[in-house]
Amino acid sequence: MLYILAGVVSVLFLVADQITKWYVASNFTLTETRPLINGVIDLTYVHNTGGAWGLMEGYTLVLIALTLFIMIICIAMLMKEGFKSKLLFFSVCLIISGGIGNMIDRIFRGGNVVDFIHLHFMPTFPVFNIADCAVCIGAGLLLCYFIVDMIKDYKTRRENEASIHSPSGKNDIK
């Protein structure tokens, strides 16, 4: 059931991303700002030809290739391990969803990704979009997965070491 939910949430992120980008691009002039929640969040229509924080600006083909590479790694992770862990599955689905959302822009908007969410209370923080949110949430969950996985591996090794060196003097290798 959770796998279906992860798929639905990922599709909803992608659809919300594309609808909001379409809305902003259709109803705002470039660089126009309108408050969404006064003093908290503004909608500011900008084009980003780079990656996060504008890195690699103008290298659209490299960014598309990099996104494809990351998505291939994510799909490989899903095929190898994805159904063993709900957290891994959910995180990778979000990363893929966000990657697709921004890749659609890069391909169909001449290398421009539509960004519009501006945190008014953090004026120097880059403007971003819903696809960026999906990638960041997915990456955060993926980091949590790896941390939890490392802790499980550590505990398993400790238990195995303890059973090998049991007080009975027997090797209890499982």
Side-chain angles (χ1 to χ4, degrees), residues 115-127:
D115 286 334
F116 58 90
I117 302 170
H118 184 220
L119 302 176
H120 185 73
F121 56 91
M122 295 177 67
T124 59
F125 194 80
V127 179

Side-chain angles (χ1 to χ4, degrees), residues 24 28-34 43-47 115 127:
V24 169
F28 286 61
T29 58
L30 198 56
T31 70
E32 179 182 356
T33 297
R34 298 181 196 169
L43 298 181
T44 301
Y45 177 31
V46 297
H47 285 167
D115 286 334
V127 179

Side-chain angles (χ1 to χ4, degrees), residues 3 9 35 38 41 53 58-59 69 71 87 101 129 164 174:
Y3 297 111
V9 167
N38 246 350
I41 299 174
W53 282 269
Y59 290 92
F69 178 72
M71 288 175 31
L87 182 58
N129 59 45
I164 289 172
K174 296 178 183 180

Side-chain angles (χ1 to χ4, degrees), residues 5-56:
L5 177 63
V8 168
V9 167
S10 296
V11 169
L12 288 175
F13 261 99
L14 180 59
V15 169
D17 175 65
Q18 292 302 299
I19 289 172
T20 54
K21 287 175 178 175
W22 168 82
Y23 176 80
V24 169
S26 299
N27 294 288
F28 286 61
T29 58
L30 198 56
T31 70
E32 179 182 356
T33 297
R34 298 181 196 169
L36 180 65
I37 302 172
N38 246 350
V40 180
I41 299 174
D42 292 337
L43 298 181
T44 301
Y45 177 31
V46 297
H47 285 167
N48 181 2
T49 61
W53 282 269
L55 296 173
M56 298 177 62

